[in-house]
Amino acid sequence: MEFLYALGGVIALLLGTDSATKGLSGALQQAKATPLAAALVLVFAGYALPGLALGLGAWAWQDAQAAASALHGASLGALGLGAGGLLLTTGVVLRVRPWRMLDGDRAQAELTEFAVSRPGWGLNGFRLAFGALLLALGARGVLAAAPAFVGVAGLDAGAALLVAAALCSGFVVAVVASFNARFGDAAAAFAATGGAGLVLTLLAGAAAFLLALPSLDLRLLAHPLVQGAALLALWAGLAIPVRAIGRPAGAMLLLAMGALLAAAALLR
């Protein structure tokens, strides 16, 4: 039964992310924002939506500790499985470094192409509302499936939710990013995985600090800020050369995510 919950949750998160990002981009441009400004919003908010939905859902239906675990897992999922999956499926060639996409007309053109959406308040309002509903349903499904991980390798409920959030939201990010890279721009899609990871890492770190100060011992290695910063540094390092970074880099990100997930689960 948990597998069906997870499958339904992932499908709903996937469709909800697609609908909400299109609606958000269209609504911003309808409100006279430039395509470049809309693209920047999508870079930092678009791929973070599955993780945000899981965090808010865990807070609403469980408690603050569960929300912190969900955000922590989602941040690792976006940077590990999301970015790594994008590289493995597409073997992308970065024509522009993700953090240099505001330099030059060509780089800006590649970024603004990422935010292309149909106009119309009615259409985009419906996309946003429908996307929000699907994201909520998807979060409900993933949260219901998380107990399936309890007991696996000695995981408790919090660690099980962290792993479920990382795998499910990361898979959603990987699929959406790969689709955007195939039909849009790979550099913008790769940048959006980093933007989502940064936003979710900051939120997970803030939630962890509000719940308890980090312990100055080995458990500090499992803190979401420490783990998120490590994956972000690896993500940025892989994107330094403007060349094919492809599948070996994707495998490296996946291995790093696996190691950090294991540390987070075992050192809680």
Side-chain angles (χ1 to χ4, degrees), residues 47-157:
Y47 291 179
L49 289 176
L52 291 173
L54 287 172
L56 290 172
W59 188 21
W61 297 314
Q62 296 184 19
D63 54 32
Q65 188 65 57
S69 294
L71 289 171
H72 185 179
S75 67
L76 298 181
L79 290 166
L81 184 53
L86 167 64
L87 297 177
L88 286 171
T89 57
T90 63
V92 297
V93 176
L94 297 184
R95 296 184 295 275
V96 135
R97 297 176 187 177
W99 53 85
R100 296 289 300 276
M101 296 189 73
L102 297 180
D103 294 344
D105 293 338
R106 178 184 174 187
Q108 290 187 27
E110 292 183 2
L111 184 60
T112 53
E113 183 183 356
F114 185 62
V116 172
S117 184
R118 293 171 60 187
W121 281 114
L123 173 63
N124 290 304
F126 172 78
R127 282 174 165 175
L128 279 171
F130 186 57
L133 175 62
L134 287 174
L135 287 168
L137 291 174
R140 188 75 170 180
V142 172
L143 293 172
F149 291 95
V150 174
V152 177
L155 298 182
D156 60 16

Side-chain angles (χ1 to χ4, degrees), residues 41 50-51 58 67 71 73 98 105 158-159 170 179 185-186 191 198 200 210 215 217 220 223 241 257-259 264:
V41 171
L71 289 171
D105 293 338
F179 181 84
D185 182 72
L198 175 62
L200 292 169
L210 288 174
S215 302
D217 54 23
L220 186 62
H223 195 276
M257 184 197 79

